[in-house]
Amino acid sequence: MKLILKNGRVIDPANGRDGVADVLVVDGRIAEVGPNLDGSGAEVYDATGLVVTPGFIDMHVHLREPGFEHAETIESGSHAAAAGGFTAVCCMPNTKPVNDSATVTSYIVERARRDAVVRVFPIGAITKGSAGEELASILSMKAAGVVAISDDGRPVMNARVMRRAMETARAIDIPVINHCEDLNLSAGGDMHEGIVSTRLGLRGIPSASEDVMVARDILLAELTGCRYHVAHLSTLRSAAMVAYARGKGLSVTCEVTPHHFAISDQGIRPYDANYKMKPPLRGDEDVAAMLDGIRDGTVDALATDHAPHPGDEKMQEFEKCPFGILGLETAIGLTFERLVHPGLISLQRMIELYTTGPNGIMRLGLGTLTPGAPADITVLSESIQWTYDVNKSPSRSRNTPFDGATFRGGAMATIVNGAFVWHRE
Ligand SMILES: [Zn+2]
């Protein structure tokens, strides 16, 4: 079982490598990286003109199984991940039942082993049923395989409960991920509160609903000493507070989604549910702050918040539609188009944001081409022109504002454990 990727530009931030080299894979692990390697007996992949990187990690997806298999399954979501260039995903616990016990965690782990073509790492709930009141079975979920805890989709409103969760997480050294939204401030809102919401006559979700909870959580993270992570950061002030926490030496990290750096509320198609998500697409000054944070290192990772919803749910009045959009297959294209090609960040930085960044937070033992590491590899092209056709997506859902969008730059092949799980036709 040998594979050699010949003559690609190998960018491996974990090892500070950037140069043309071969990558030799033996029995599912990285064997050697260097020029002119002996690939006798190996399957050959010609990577000339392409970029070879550690497998991309999406630390925030919703796979909907168990309970909402009409929207997505672990199998379909894993194929969407592979088609998007991702070799590993972390899945949020807002399934039915919620992943708040070792039983559900084990179910997800087993399903993933059987059905998934990429690695799937479950995230456990913070509270029972993600209801925000009683702590979930965090210790036994950790033993069953969760890599973090979060009530994503919902915030933990009760500060006392959050404190207890942070103390527990600290004791077993896993991160606490919060969906930061003060539900009293955001109640009834459908989009970002600003001039656009006023013009459209839609109820707004103020930036403050995120800001106040990020502030509270940073204070609690300082109190408890836990590793704390802000999911889908979207506002200027939240970014400033994360930078402040970092300046104080706290273990506070954050992620930004491609849609939050790519589109502001000025860019939404009015009343189109494919532009409805939480947090909402924010103002221009917030988008600018996301770009700054991505550039200056305040932002640790890019993550998609891939949130499948079937057509019938998204095809109703705007106010009634659920929040969230697909993300796995458009993330790399959007990152090239909005960040790399305009020169906002280097290709190296882009790769960090999808490899060492998320791996550093979730500690998956991935995101590197070090010999001996699992041979999870993403092959990129900076110049490939392609059009996203959601009707060809392996996802079971179609909710995206990017259907028909054209991208320059994208994934060419996805390799997990030394085997191709996807390649561009
Ligand atoms: Zn969320």
Side-chain angles (χ1 to χ4, degrees), residues 63-271:
L63 296 181
R64 305 298 191 213
E65 184 179 2
F68 304 103
E69 288 85 353
H70 56 298
E72 196 76 288
T73 62
I74 290 169
E75 181 177 21
S76 65
S78 81
H79 281 282
F86 290 97
T87 59
V89 297
C90 302
C91 59
M92 287 296 180
N94 57 341
T95 47
K96 199 161 119 192
V98 167
N99 182 13
D100 60 3
S101 72
T103 314
V104 182
T105 304
S106 302
Y107 177 87
I108 293 168
V109 167
E110 270 159 41
R111 280 286 150 152
R113 194 173 296 146
R114 195 189 74 181
D115 296 340
V117 294
V118 304
R119 291 178 207 278
V120 173
F121 296 94
I123 294 168
I126 295 174
T127 61
K128 284 197 177 135
S130 286
E133 284 155 23
E134 231 183 302
L135 286 191
S137 313
I138 297 169
L139 301 182
S140 58
M141 285 192 296
K142 164 93 188 311
V146 305
V147 291
I149 50 172
S150 179
D151 276 350
D152 186 54
R154 300 181 56 79
V156 177
M157 282 292 285
N158 184 321
R160 183 172 175 278
V161 171
M162 190 51 146
R163 178 189 180 179
R164 294 284 172 251
M166 286 179 166
E167 285 166 347
T168 307
R170 179 176 189 268
I172 56 173
D173 197 23
I174 57 172
V176 176
I177 302 173
N178 200 7
H179 164 121
C180 292
E181 175 190 357
D182 183 296
L183 294 173
N184 297 312
L185 282 169
S186 65
D190 291 311
M191 65 172 290
H192 176 60
E193 180 180 290
I195 287 170
V196 182
S197 66
T198 307
R199 201 190 303 136
L200 294 176
L202 290 168
R203 282 178 297 182
I205 300 172
S207 293
S209 67
E210 177 170 319
D211 303 339
V212 297
M213 192 159 281
V214 171
R216 179 203 77 177
D217 283 357
I218 286 172
L219 295 169
L220 293 175
E222 184 171 21
L223 176 68
T224 59
C226 81
R227 290 196 278 135
Y228 170 70
H229 179 81
V230 184
H232 43 51
L233 184 98
S234 74
T235 72
L236 181 149
R237 285 180 186 77
S238 299
M241 281 183 285
V242 168
Y244 159 84
R246 204 88 117 243
K248 290 197 75 177
L250 302 181
S251 185
V252 170
T253 54
C254 69
E255 76 200 21
V256 169
T257 74
H259 46 275
H260 285 109
F261 69 63
I263 322 174
S264 77
D265 62 347
Q266 304 280 343
I268 75 168
R269 279 177 53 188
Y271 311 109

